[in-house]
Amino acid sequence: MSAPSTASLREHLRVLQLYTEAIAGRRMELRSTEELPDVSSALRRDLPTSSASCVFLPAEVSDFDSARDNFIVYKISILHQLGFWECGTFHFELERWHRKHESQAGEGGSSASPEELSESDLALFFAAFDRPELARKIFSILEDTRIDAALGRRYRGVRKDLARLQSASRALRPDIATLGPIQRLLEILLQLSLGAEPEVFVARLEPGQLQHLGEALSEMRRPGADVYTTATATVRLNSVWQDPSVAKDLRVTLQGATDLEDSETISVAVDGGEGDAEGAGSPPISGDEPEGTEPVPYRGELKPELIQKELRLAELTKDLEKLREGGIPLPPEILRELLEKGLIEITGVEEADLDSTSGLTLSDLPDGAKAAAVSDKRAELEDRVRSLGRELEEELGELRPLRNEYYYDEWDHELNAYRRAWCRLGETTLEEADVTELEDARRSQARLFAEVRRQFELLRPDTLRKIKGLTDGEDVDLDAAVEAWSDLRAGLAPSDKLYTHRDRRERNVAAAFLLDMSASTDSEIPDPEEEQSADELPKYDYVGVYDDDPFWTRSDLTPTAKRRRVIDVEKEALLLMAEALDTLGDAYAIYGFSGYGRENVDFFVAKDFNETYDRRTLGRMAAIEPKRSTRMGPAIRHAATKLDKQDARIKVLLILSDGYPQDFDYGRDRTSREYGINDTMMALREAELRGVHTFCITVDPAGHDYLRQMCSERSYLVIDDIAALPKELPKVYRGLTT
């Protein structure tokens, strides 16, 4: 139990989410650091951090003696993380930084496009240093200082709270006497960034060092400072600390990062002023000395170069989509190749001036050139997307949340109104599990599987569609013939596409199977060959992880050797449908749902619409297991939203369940079913209004009692014998889609 003074993210999530979106001006997810995958030994779950789409905060804050003050820590932490977006940290471009200093750079020359070497210019920048991690640490402290100063100017109402938080953070800093030379410099830089008085450190620094630190921080606090100011100050401090003789011209070679010739460098001229001579005593960095300092809690930790890669991956993915639509501008190199092959002609433009044709898109090209351009460009983009995706999977795993989160309204029949954004639903892709049991089920029911596949192969619609605009066909298109005759009379060349042909119409169906994964599906199915007394039937009680968790769960979850459960039969039915639909060619998805409370609705993906049925899908289906409660409303709304995005003539949502909707906070009265039943009824109506046909199948013998209230008479089925589900489900599907 949390102390009364502790602020809980779960308790304040809705308010902080609104605060986040108000500051960001867009949808920015707010999540707990507990949701971060444990993929790194250095992962800190007590510090805020960010990815390109969300802000992560600790589950609890107890830095101060009052809950209000700890709530303010959340607000300042969010503001600081969003400050990187507001102040342009992720917009850093190496070329632009180079151009800003060309007048001082001597023989800087031009650098290659960063896209040729990395998808993040900040990664290139850090890699150019002898010790990239030290450069990243200097950059982070300076950038944190710039962000805090900018936020204080933009949001005057937080100045007092920010100053108090900085003062409290200073009090927690380590004793610099225990640190090595470089850690000491970093720690002093950090404490100065938090408002410490410079005089405190005079005895701890060599002559001139304090001046360099103070000047760098003063630059960060100027109103005109930007991320390029931070980069230049990083170069200056890194050079001063590594070179015992402080030169007036510090040169930073970026050969590896920018593909320059051996003689070319990017350099920054630094005027150290009168204090430079005194700085000669600065100690060089020891190669064996560990780098870094303890992060400031409210500032957290951030890897801006990785967020740049996330943003770049999103851009490349959009370019790939535009390419498929024919709307992406063609780069000069592709145009040159098409010119050389004689596939296009561009009049009035010299080959050397092809940059001026950047407005040309695929849709502007003739068919022959379009095919060549699409092939080359698509291969390039797909390769870059795959490569960057793998790189992010390795580098950014700790910043990728376990699930995507969505907020849905919920219908309160007592208020006769919706509770806005009342439920938080987390979508998770199931991890693959052992498929032995599913393969055994397929072998044991091979005859049923073969029969269902045969029936589905016969599901071919008789409707024929007329295809027009053909040069040859079974009939003449009268409209095209009249138009051709008119063109001929007018002296124009008539079209020869005058014929039509009737072709069989393809099925155009998208179906989503939504499986109830509540704890009650763990119940054992009686063996029909054995009679069981009432004392032998499975017993349930209110046993839960939480003190007030009244969802059904087994008292004894120890599996027996041949135990067959409700969930096992449901998985067999879904396996049967997956194999049949894969033969038929209908688009389909397999989802599951459970959860605990309105803020923890779980939505599991075994197969999505854009995925193929393969060994991986089979492994996810095998991972479907009983979880917690049965909050149906948000799960139905989320599945309907996914279906709504499918381009299909017939859209079907089939819900498989073994009981009525229930959750510990599904209404004010825990003993009443009415709240959950009414919310589920409204969710089903909402889906129907979106053009999604819904159908509920339950194996609960008492299902008629509540399904007739939730659904229309023809939109549900109660199966008394759970073992019959694999046979009944294909019949229901055929009836809904033909």
Side-chain angles (χ1 to χ4, degrees):
M1 195 73 176
S2 300
S5 61
T6 299
S8 165
L9 179 61
R10 180 177 179 181
E11 178 184 354
H12 300 293
L13 183 63
R14 294 190 71 232
V15 173
L16 291 174
Q17 182 66 60
L18 293 172
Y19 177 77
T20 302
E21 293 181 17
I23 299 297
R26 63 186 176 94
R27 181 68 175 173
M28 193 79 172
E29 296 289 345
L30 197 62
R31 300 176 183 174
S32 169
T33 52
E34 291 181 347
E35 297 180 34
L36 297 173
D38 189 12
V39 298
S40 171
S41 59
L43 186 63
R44 294 282 298 268
R45 297 181 184 273
D46 59 334
L47 296 173
T49 190
S50 295
S51 71
S53 59
C54 58
V55 174
F56 295 93
L57 298 171
E60 293 183 344
V61 173
S62 56
D63 298 345
F64 293 93
D65 295 332
S66 73
R68 178 188 178 279
D69 289 338
N70 288 318
F71 175 74
I72 290 174
V73 175
Y74 274 132
K75 291 178 60 178
I76 299 298
S77 298
I78 291 171
L79 201 59
H80 189 84
Q81 293 294 316
L82 297 180
F84 294 109
W85 295 94
E86 282 196 43
C87 299
T89 300
F90 310 123
H91 297 153
F92 176 83
E93 297 176 10
L94 193 58
E95 282 283 351
R96 183 178 174 189
W97 179 76
H98 174 59
R99 288 196 301 269
K100 287 171 77 77
H101 301 91
E102 273 187 343
S103 59
Q104 303 170 325
E107 299 177 358
S110 60
S111 62
S113 169
E115 293 179 356
E116 298 177 8
L117 301 148
S118 172
E119 303 293 353
S120 167
D121 285 22
L122 280 168
L124 294 174
F125 178 76
F126 295 139
F129 293 85
D130 291 336
R131 301 180 71 175
E133 288 304 317
L134 176 61
R136 181 184 286 105
K137 193 63 183 179
I138 296 172
F139 179 91
S140 296
I141 296 174
L142 295 177
E143 191 69 352
D144 281 335
T145 306
R146 185 177 74 88
I147 298 303
D148 279 351
L151 294 176
R153 288 191 297 269
R154 295 187 185 190
Y155 306 101
R156 297 185 178 183
V158 304
R159 288 181 180 177
K160 183 177 178 181
D161 292 331
L162 181 58
R164 185 184 176 200
L165 201 51
Q166 288 177 339
S167 177
S169 299
R170 289 200 308 272
L172 299 174
R173 303 308 302 172
D175 183 1
I176 60 175
T178 64
L179 305 176
I182 296 308
Q183 281 73 23
R184 188 182 307 139
L185 287 169
L186 287 171
E187 182 61 36
I188 291 174
L189 179 66
L190 193 149
Q191 292 192 30
L192 289 172
S193 77
L194 291 171
E197 294 295 332
E199 291 76 13
V200 177
F201 307 109
V202 171
R204 298 289 187 179
L205 295 174
E206 298 291 336
Q209 288 181 331
L210 190 59
Q211 179 179 341
H212 289 302
L213 301 184
E215 288 175 350
L217 293 174
S218 294
E219 291 179 15
M220 297 303 101
R221 292 173 175 136
R222 288 204 315 265
D226 57 17
V227 67
Y228 301 101
T229 311
T230 306
T232 302
T234 301
V235 170
R236 179 184 297 113
L237 287 182
N238 181 81
S239 301
V240 168
W241 291 356
Q242 295 208 54
D243 189 351
S245 60
V246 181
K248 285 183 177 289
D249 188 7
L250 301 174
R251 305 174 66 83
V252 180
T253 303
L254 296 173
Q255 289 166 289
T258 57
D259 201 25
L260 301 175
E261 298 296 333
D262 292 341
S263 61
E264 294 177 324
T265 59
I266 291 182
S267 57
V268 180
V270 179
D271 184 4
E274 298 178 359
D276 282 358
E278 301 177 10
S282 301
I285 294 178
S286 167
D288 298 329
E289 186 181 348
E291 298 160 353
T293 57
E294 181 70 12
V296 177
Y298 81 88
R299 289 176 174 175
E301 285 187 310
L302 190 69
K303 296 181 179 179
E305 71 275 21
L306 298 185
I307 293 182
Q308 276 196 327
K309 290 182 181 181
E310 280 193 286
L311 296 174
R312 186 62 185 150
L313 179 60
E315 291 177 5
L316 291 174
T317 303
K318 287 182 180 178
D319 285 347
L320 197 55
E321 293 175 356
K322 289 181 181 178
L323 178 65
R324 296 188 179 111
E325 299 171 358
I328 185 173
L330 295 171
E333 58 269 20
I334 288 184
L335 293 176
R336 288 193 181 91
E337 185 178 348
L338 295 176
L339 279 170
E340 291 171 0
K341 293 179 179 179
L343 295 174
I344 62 171
E345 293 182 6
I346 304 178
T347 58
V349 178
E350 298 294 333
E351 186 173 338
D353 298 328
L354 283 177
D355 289 340
S356 63
T357 65
S358 59
L360 283 175
T361 65
L362 285 170
S363 57
D364 299 321
L365 300 180
D367 292 340
K370 186 183 299 183
V374 166
S375 176
D376 293 343
K377 187 63 177 176
R378 178 180 292 172
E380 176 197 344
L381 284 175
E382 288 178 345
D383 183 63
R384 288 175 65 185
V385 166
R386 281 194 299 269
S387 175
L388 186 55
R390 287 194 298 268
E391 188 176 338
L392 281 170
E393 195 68 32
E394 296 174 0
E395 295 183 287
L396 199 57
E398 68 269 22
L399 293 184
R400 287 181 178 249
L402 291 175
R403 63 181 194 170
N404 295 317
E405 293 189 346
Y406 307 85
Y407 289 84
Y408 287 99
D409 299 345
E410 187 167 272
W411 177 255
D412 188 329
H413 71 288
E414 295 179 0
L415 296 176
N416 197 32
Y418 283 100
R419 292 181 176 271
R420 300 299 177 185
W422 190 246
C423 294
R424 181 176 64 161
L425 178 144
E427 178 184 309
T428 309
T429 300
L430 289 166
E431 296 290 337
E432 297 176 46
D434 182 58
V435 300
T436 303
E437 291 186 6
L438 287 181
E439 290 179 335
D440 290 344
R442 181 196 291 150
R443 284 192 291 269
S444 64
Q445 301 195 55
R447 182 174 297 179
L448 174 61
F449 274 61
E451 175 61 21
V452 172
R453 277 197 298 269
R454 187 189 68 81
Q455 293 177 6
F456 274 50
E457 286 172 356
L458 298 176
L459 286 178
R460 296 290 183 267
D462 296 329
T463 306
L464 299 178
R465 63 174 179 175
K466 182 184 290 186
I467 302 175
K468 298 183 178 182
L470 303 176
T471 56
D472 187 19
E474 60 190 29
D475 202 355
V476 175
D477 184 355
L478 185 59
D479 292 336
V482 171
E483 186 174 349
W485 175 252
S486 300
D487 289 342
L488 188 63
R489 292 293 301 269
L492 302 175
S495 172
D496 60 346
K497 298 179 179 180
L498 307 177
Y499 299 92
T500 64
H501 175 72
R502 291 185 178 273
D503 199 3
R504 288 194 177 275
R505 187 176 180 180
E506 296 181 358
R507 283 178 63 89
N508 192 7
V509 177
F513 297 88
L514 185 59
L515 179 65
D516 174 9
M517 293 169 58
S518 60
S520 56
T521 60
D522 193 56
S523 59
E524 186 175 351
I525 298 174
D527 189 334
E529 297 180 359
E530 297 180 4
E531 292 187 3
Q532 288 182 301
S533 66
D535 294 335
E536 295 174 330
L537 293 175
K539 294 181 174 59
Y540 297 91
D541 55 20
Y542 291 109
V543 178
V545 178
Y546 302 93
D547 294 338
D548 58 351
D549 183 0
F551 61 83
W552 291 109
T553 185
R554 288 294 304 269
S555 300
D556 180 10
L557 295 179
T558 304
T560 57
K562 296 182 180 180
R563 184 165 167 259
R564 197 159 180 255
R565 306 163 299 170
V566 170
I567 195 79
D568 297 326
V569 178
E570 291 178 336
K571 286 195 290 186
E572 290 174 14
L574 290 177
L575 175 63
L576 176 64
M577 290 301 304
E579 302 220 341
L581 291 177
D582 195 54
T583 301
L584 183 60
D586 285 358
Y588 69 99
I590 298 174
Y591 306 125
F593 72 97
S594 183
Y596 179 78
R598 65 182 181 88
E599 293 184 349
N600 295 282
V601 181
D602 294 323
F603 189 92
F604 303 99
V605 178
K607 179 190 178 299
D608 225 329
F609 286 104
N610 60 346
E611 296 178 319
T612 57
Y613 176 67
D614 52 19
R615 185 80 177 180
R616 181 178 58 179
T617 304
L618 193 63
R620 292 178 186 168
M621 292 172 62
I624 295 174
E625 288 294 330
K627 301 295 182 181
R628 297 180 178 178
S629 299
T630 316
R631 204 179 195 103
M632 284 191 182
I636 291 172
R637 292 181 177 97
H638 191 60
T641 299
K642 285 177 164 289
L643 270 166
D644 192 41
K645 296 177 181 177
Q646 302 305 309
D647 184 16
R649 182 172 55 89
I650 299 175
K651 301 176 183 180
V652 177
L653 174 60
L654 293 102
I655 302 119
L656 307 181
S657 177
D658 73 329
Y660 63 90
Q662 59 88 31
D663 200 352
F664 84 93
D665 62 348
Y666 221 1
R668 296 175 183 83
D669 184 358
R670 297 185 179 187
T671 63
S672 174
R673 303 180 179 184
E674 290 303 310
Y675 187 99
I677 290 174
N678 278 275
D679 176 55
T680 304
M681 175 188 68
M682 291 299 291
L684 292 170
R685 288 183 182 177
E686 293 163 22
E688 294 285 348
L689 290 174
R690 301 174 80 166
V692 175
H693 303 296
T694 62
F695 196 92
C696 297
I697 301 176
T698 185
V699 296
D700 179 11
H704 290 286
D705 296 342
Y706 53 86
L707 283 175
R708 65 166 57 98
Q709 183 179 347
M710 288 165 39
C711 317
S712 64
E713 184 178 351
R714 297 183 179 181
S715 296
Y716 74 88
L717 175 67
V718 177
I719 298 178
D720 296 326
D721 181 9
I722 176 63
L725 179 61
K727 295 181 180 179
E728 296 297 327
L729 185 56
K731 297 178 185 178
V732 172
Y733 185 83
R734 288 200 307 271
L736 292 171
T737 60
T738 56

